[in-house]
Structures are given as structure tokens and as C-alpha cells.
Amino acid sequence: MFVATLTFEQARQCVLKQLRESNPQPLIEQVSLSEAAGRVLAQPVRADRDYPPVSRSVRDGFAVRSADLPGDLSIIGEVRAGERFAGEVGPGEAVEIMTGAPMPRGADAVIMVEHCTVEDGRVNVPRTLEPDENVSLHASQARANGVLLEPGHRLGFADSGLLAMVGLSRVEVFARPQVAILATGDEIVEVVETPLDYQVRNSNVQSLAVQVARAGGCPNILPIARDLYADTRESIERGLGFDMLLLSGGVSAGKYDIVERVLADLGAEFYFDRVLIMPGQPLVFGKARGKFFFGLPGNPASTMVTFEIFARSAVELLGGQTESILPLTWSRLARDFHQKPGLTRFLPALLCVGACEVTPTVTPLPWQGSGDVPSLSRANAFLVTEADREAWAAGDWIRVLLK
């Protein structure tokens, strides 16, 4: 069996390359506007008319002719949102206007109400205005039939507003990929059971199910596979009936870690089976019977981290997204940090923004290794180190993976 050890960057690029070259073609389904949020768009969304359809004010104030300013102008009427002003603004005239109202003919700017003085039917404007100041011009946002959203875009809350704006009550989206989730190991018991002191509850599949759903997939939790060849093979064959298979555990070098052997016997092609990261070194990625699979390490932190930085992208691309971006950012360290170089580390951390500091700061959390679920739960981010660097001082910039 071919074995490949890759760096973090190489492994991520390998996943993206394999998924893109496979050119997945998910099915298309039509959903209502209320069901569209979080789905991946399968049709271009076009403007049904110019936006805005007329020039309109973006402030409460007075519609004026910029050439008349500064000056003392006669107020000849008012216009509210949802109305049109029937007349025309001539020299020395102004129309009181509300935010969102169409601009009257003849006016080319809006003076904000707090920047002028009103008395006895006249408005005094002590300053100049540029033409089109405080005006949203006709068709400045979109032209009729122009493409506003492309297929492959995951719809968020602003997109729901956009769909409603252009009159789409139903929209075509890609079907969510069906992802099988399989935990392996004799030490695992179900969540409702009381474990003995040498057993653990089946928690990894629960966190993975949430991660799959967040990535736009449909999680399908399979029964636990015991550390027996026949049982593991039967479970993996069942998992390969879905669009993608996630395995948790059984991919290390132990005597009973048989997942890779079973996959090889099923004709799997392996792209890598070790990545120079911590946690999560024994990570398997490949394809069997036309389906991609990830063999994730069994420790909870390893499972969570490796899904986020590798498998999440696969779910997103299988679901029709055109791009998959890792949510990495930069922050300043709150305290000194040291590591043994050689691995890219993803460590639980607290990212502090807003009220805490003007510049975001990140603090590594104390933890007891990749089985320390309480520390993972307290974290809101992962500190991401560089493999070839040994030390950082407080105040140094460091990468952070948002959780």
C-alpha cells in the first residue's frame, strides 16, 4: 500500500485538488425562500429591474439643486418614501424629503436636516454640496437582468434578503451531500450507556454530525464498528454507499487499527495517510468505489481539527460550492508561547476581540492533550503554529483558526 506523509499545506491542497478534479455534479432541487438559507445556489440570480429603480435619497433632509448652495431656499413641498413629488425643483427651491423617497425632478443633492435651519417655510443651507451627494443613483446597485449571485454560492441571511428583493419565492439549490459517519473501536459505547472505566461514550460522531451539517451536508450516523475485520468491512461497505464516508478511529499503527487494511482490500486509492500536524497526524484520505473517505484519528481533538481543516472542504465542494476557504485570521499573542518545531499545531485558545482589546488577542488554553474535550469546549478558536518556528513572544502575530 502506498504511504504518503504530507505537510498541512500539502495535505489541504491535495484534498482540494482531488475534489475539484472529480468535478462532483450534485442533484438540483427547488426549495422555498424560507428553506434556502445555508443551501448552495444552483442557478444564477438576476436582477428583475434596475436597483434602485429611481434615484432616491439616503438621508432625511431637503432635496436641492447643488448649484444653489450655500443659500436660503423656499420649501415648495415634501416627499415621503413610497410617494413621488409631482412638481419640479427650480432655482432657489427645495423639497423636504425622507430617506428612501424618490428624488424630485430638478434636484441633484440632499442636505441633511441636521445641517440646515428651517424657519417660516424656508431652509437655510450654509454649506455646499457635490452633485449626487446623499443620493443613491438610479441603477447604481444593479442593472436589470444583471447577475447578482452565481451558482456555487452558499446562501446567507443577506442573500435571503436579496432573493426576496428580486421576487424569488423559490430557488434552485444543490442537494446536500449525504455523509456517513462511522466510529470504530471496542472501547466505544453508545451515549445512553454507562461506560466502564476502560470505555468511552460515542462522542466523536456527535461532534462530526454537527460539523457536517455546518458544512452543508446531511450526517448519517452508522452503528459502531468493532475491531474485527468482518465487522469493520461490513460497516465500511455500508458507508461507501453514501456520498462520502468519515471514519473515526482505527487509523493509527496499533495491532487492532485495521481500517486502512480493510479499505485497501476494498480497492481504495490512498492519497495520504499521515500529515505533519498535531493533533491529527494519522489521517487517511482516499477514494474507494467512487466515494471519497477520510480516516480521522479517534481522539476528540484530532477528529474535530482534521475535519475542520480537511474534510469540511470536501463536504462543501461535494455540495456544489465553487470555493472552500479555511477561516484563518491573525491575532496577537496574549502571552509567550513555545513549542517543539516540526509540526503545525492546532491548539485550543480563546480569541478576545471588541471590549477586551482594540487589537484582537489570543490566549492558548491549558489542555491535557487531544482527549481533553472540556478544554475544547471552552475554546472559541485554535491557535495555529508554524512548523519551523520554536517560540513566540507576547504581542507577536500568530495565525488563528476560527472555531
Side-chain angles (χ1 to χ4, degrees), residues 30-327:
Q30 193 178 82
V31 298
S32 68
L33 178 56
S34 62
E35 299 170 312
R39 302 299 298 270
V40 178
L41 193 62
Q43 67 174 84
V45 172
R46 297 180 180 274
D48 62 320
R49 60 176 179 169
D50 292 341
Y51 284 94
V54 296
S55 295
R56 62 190 184 189
S57 174
V58 297
R59 296 285 187 269
D60 291 332
F62 293 87
V64 299
R65 292 164 21 113
S66 58
D68 290 340
L69 305 183
D72 191 60
L73 310 174
S74 174
I75 302 171
I76 62 171
E78 75 166 25
V79 58
R80 298 181 296 175
E83 297 180 345
R84 278 188 180 274
F85 185 72
E88 182 174 351
V89 177
E93 295 178 337
V95 169
E96 189 173 7
I97 193 167
M98 312 307 164
T99 300
M103 288 293 290
R105 285 181 293 114
D108 67 350
V110 173
I111 181 69
M112 296 168 60
V113 67
E114 54 265 42
H115 294 165
C116 55
T117 304
V118 179
E119 187 175 357
D120 296 329
R122 301 188 68 82
V123 57
N124 181 266
V125 182
R127 52 161 291 187
T128 60
L129 288 178
E130 293 294 325
D132 304 325
E133 191 167 339
N134 295 322
V135 177
S136 180
L137 293 175
H138 166 237
S140 58
Q141 298 170 8
R143 288 283 184 185
N145 206 43
V147 176
L148 303 176
L149 293 174
E150 298 279 3
H153 175 78
R154 186 175 296 280
L155 297 166
F157 61 86
D159 303 316
S160 294
L162 179 66
L163 296 174
M165 183 186 83
V166 301
L168 283 176
S169 61
R170 299 189 67 80
V171 63
E172 290 184 346
V173 296
F174 291 116
R176 293 188 178 102
Q178 299 291 325
V179 180
I181 304 174
L182 174 62
T184 70
D186 290 339
E187 75 281 13
I188 303 172
V189 299
E190 297 296 349
V191 173
V192 295
E193 296 183 47
T194 300
L196 301 174
D197 56 9
Y198 53 84
Q199 295 176 320
V200 295
R201 290 190 175 96
N202 194 11
S203 62
N204 284 353
V205 297
Q206 300 301 324
S207 57
L208 281 173
V210 174
Q211 289 175 290
V212 167
R214 280 181 27 170
C218 286
N220 297 269
I221 297 175
L222 304 184
I224 300 165
R226 298 305 168 191
D227 291 328
L228 299 170
Y229 182 92
D231 191 43
T232 301
R233 178 169 179 142
E234 180 182 351
S235 297
I236 289 177
E237 286 185 307
R238 180 179 174 186
L240 292 173
F242 293 80
D243 296 321
M244 192 174 101
L245 171 61
L246 296 175
L247 298 118
S248 173
V251 294
S252 296
K255 179 179 179 180
Y256 295 101
D257 291 323
I258 58 175
V259 164
E260 283 186 83
R261 177 157 63 92
V262 171
L263 287 165
D265 290 347
L266 291 172
E269 179 181 5
F270 295 90
Y271 304 120
F272 58 78
D273 71 349
R274 186 167 179 264
V275 183
L276 298 177
I277 60 173
M278 197 286 288
Q281 281 193 68
L283 172 67
V284 180
F285 171 55
K287 197 172 189 179
R289 298 186 176 179
K291 306 296 177 63
F292 288 105
F293 62 80
F294 286 86
L296 309 176
N299 283 324
S302 301
T303 300
M304 296 180 200
V305 166
T306 51
F307 179 91
E308 284 301 305
I309 60 179
F310 300 118
R312 181 185 182 92
S313 295
V315 176
E316 290 175 340
L317 295 175
L318 284 173
Q321 277 189 222
T322 52
E323 296 292 337
S324 178
I325 299 173
L326 197 63

Side-chain angles (χ1 to χ4, degrees), residues 348-369:
L350 278 178
L351 182 65
C352 188
V353 296
C356 299
E357 299 286 347
V358 175
T359 302
T361 59
V362 63
T363 304
L365 290 177
W367 77 315
Q368 303 302 312

